[in-house]
Amino acid sequence: MKIKQLKEVLGFLALRLCMVLVMAILVVVFWDIVTKGGGAVSWELLTQPPKDGMTKGGIFPAIVGTLLVTLMTALLAVPLGMGCAMYLNEYALDCKFTRFIRMSIRNLSGVPSIVYGLFGVALFVEACNFGTSILSAGCTLGLMTLPLTITASEEALKAVPRSYREGALALGATKWQSIRTNVLPYAVSGMLTGTILGLSRAAGETAPILFTGAAFFLPDLPGSLLSQFMALPYHLYILSTQHHDTALVRPLAYGTALVLLILIFIMNLFAIILRSRLRQMKKE
Amino acid sequence: MPLAKVKIKISDFNFYYGQVKVIKGVSVEMLAKNVTSIIGPSGCGKSTLLRCFNRMNDLIPGARAEGRAEIEGVDILGPQVDVVELRKRVGMVFQKPNPFPKSIFDNVAYGLRVNDITDRLIIEKRVEQSLRSAALWDEVKDRLKDNALNLSGGQQQRLCVARALAVEPEILLMDEPASALDPIATARIEELIVELKKHYTIVIVTHNMQQAARISDHTAFLMQGELVEYGKTSDIFTKPRKKLTEDYITGRFG
Ligand SMILES: Nc1ncnc2c1ncn2[C@@H]1O[C@H](COP(=O)(O)OP(=O)(O)O)[C@@H](O)[C@H]1O
Ligand SMILES: [Mg+2]
């Protein structure tokens, strides 16, 4: 009896330790970046292009570049992902073939991002002739995000009770009417939540944009979808490993990291707000 | 009294879920502006049979019907049947009240809107009529904008009746509509059914034999997918022809 209790206490302690460890790591990382990067964040950093071999100035083009490429990613991943999820969940028959498709989608989300990067070069940069550009990079990131978007959207659709669909059909609604008016409204915030989380991951990726459009240094803002662009994660990578004087630009690198983090944090916050609104709606 | 018209007729009707036959050679004629109840032990196929009349089973992969089923002499099983059109004529109320998480008004208006009725005045009039017919108007007339999920279970079920009536169906199918309700709410639903009979043909599934006896004109007793006995409710409950029926209604099993 005693031993059983001891075991339980120890087990509980071990679990608690895991949690504390994870939290501690997060806090340390965040603290490190905020303390070292906080000083570098200034109006100049946010509004000026890099100057003097990236030792001075700001990261404005990289902020704009990341926003633009994320927007491009969203344009591809949101409609396509939601469409796929709707097809899989509402229309496709549950057969071996669709189960195979589902499994493939799940597996695709485990493919390393550098592989997507190489694939993007082959497909968008070369085969589609988009060149290294916002378009190519956005499409590559979009492809990378799709598995997550589809899976999350499908879960959101599954969460809508069957009785909403049946109720609508029994009133003489067509299948599409029942989906549009009685399923999507209740699934859409869940779908968006998953999508935004996927997009925020894409915004922080370096590997997929490395060969598909991100530029080392480009003080002017991109002129079109076919221009190259600067991006926060890539800029950070350069400042911390490729720069001729990495020690000198350390504060700038931390500032960039902080800006990227805040950007992603804002996106996640958006997702959290959406989710809580969804919960409220369900309770009503 | 004029001869009652046959509204729903099925003959040699079989139904399968995949390989499993759950309705076996059932033939029944249900009369217009009558309440017909389907009784039987659970799992005997009552819901399945009911859901054939508005082709709701179409949604289930591998489900398949055989034989004939007609409404007013017109086949409802064939591939040429427009199921959307059919479901407008044959409304349904489910076992568990399933109001949509919309306002009371929008719930009742739903069937009108999906049928492309957009005129506000017509919708408002029809919503009021339907809520009155479902004996719910007085309780909700001051809060039509409230979310329907805030209503009590009994009110929700009457809302579902109103929602079905708004489409102006000819037939109303009800699958154990009172099984999730308390006795008072049940009594109100029963009153409502008797009232609705004046204008609609009603088919109701129930596992409650007193309920069948109280409200229905005809009763079909189903067991393991076979129709054991069908006839006037008064006959079924007072002088059943089959021993099985007698055993069931006297509560010896099921
Ligand atoms: N979707 C389904 N797939 C396969 N079998 C089903 C399905 N729905 C019901 N059944 C089976 O069909 C039989 C009749 O079910 P049902 O019509 O729901 O009975 P009841 O309404 O009389 O309780 C049961 O044996 C049940 O297990
Ligand atoms: Mg049933």
Side-chain angles (χ1 to χ4, degrees), chain A residues 137-181:
Chain A
C139 289
T140 308
L141 286 173
L143 278 192
M144 190 193 80
T145 316
L146 264 180
L148 213 144
T149 315
I150 296 173
T151 311
S153 301
E154 228 196 313
E155 293 308 317
L157 286 171
K158 278 212 183 81
V160 178
R162 219 173 85 125
S163 64
Y164 293 4
R165 295 165 225 261
E166 283 199 336
L169 293 175
L171 290 169
T174 61
K175 186 156 183 169
W176 170 238
Q177 279 176 327
S178 101
I179 292 173
R180 185 171 56 79
T181 62

Side-chain angles (χ1 to χ4, degrees), chain A residues 81-121:
Chain A
M82 290 188 177
C84 279
M86 269 162 62
Y87 175 73
L88 278 176
N89 196 58
E90 307 291 332
Y91 288 96
L93 292 173
D94 189 28
C95 59
K96 274 214 178 81
F97 183 61
T98 51
R99 256 173 272 162
F100 175 73
I101 291 179
R102 267 202 194 90
M103 198 185 68
S104 310
I105 291 172
R106 304 250 142 100
N107 285 336
L108 273 178
S109 62
V111 171
S113 53
I114 186 75
V115 176
Y116 278 103
L118 290 175
F119 182 70
V121 171

Side-chain angles (χ1 to χ4, degrees), chain B residues 78-91:
Chain B
Q80 81 290 346
V81 176
D82 180 349
V83 284
V84 170
E85 230 19 76
L86 175 70
R87 287 175 191 150
K88 284 178 206 167
R89 294 176 60 200
V90 186

Side-chain angles (χ1 to χ4, degrees), chain A residues 160 163-165 167-168 171 173 177-187 281-284, chain B residues 98-111 113-114 143-151 156 159 163:
Chain A
V160 178
S163 64
Y164 293 4
R165 295 165 225 261
L171 290 169
Q177 279 176 327
S178 101
I179 292 173
R180 185 171 56 79
T181 62
N182 232 9
V183 175
L184 282 185
Y186 311 112
M281 209 171 68
K282 279 208 176 129
K283 253 187 253 151
E284 268 170 17
Chain B
N98 66 338
F100 306 140
K102 306 175 189 291
S103 72
I104 294 170
F105 185 91
D106 286 345
N107 261 277
V108 185
Y110 186 87
R113 293 191 175 131
V114 295
R143 47 175 179 142
L144 292 173
K145 292 226 154 51
D146 277 15
N147 194 312
L149 299 182
N150 293 334
L151 296 172
Q156 287 187 3
L159 180 70
R163 193 172 70 184

Side-chain angles (χ1 to χ4, degrees), chain B residues 17 22 41-48 60:
Chain B
Y17 288 116
V22 292
S42 92
C44 69
K46 304 182 294 293
S47 301
T48 303
I60 299 164

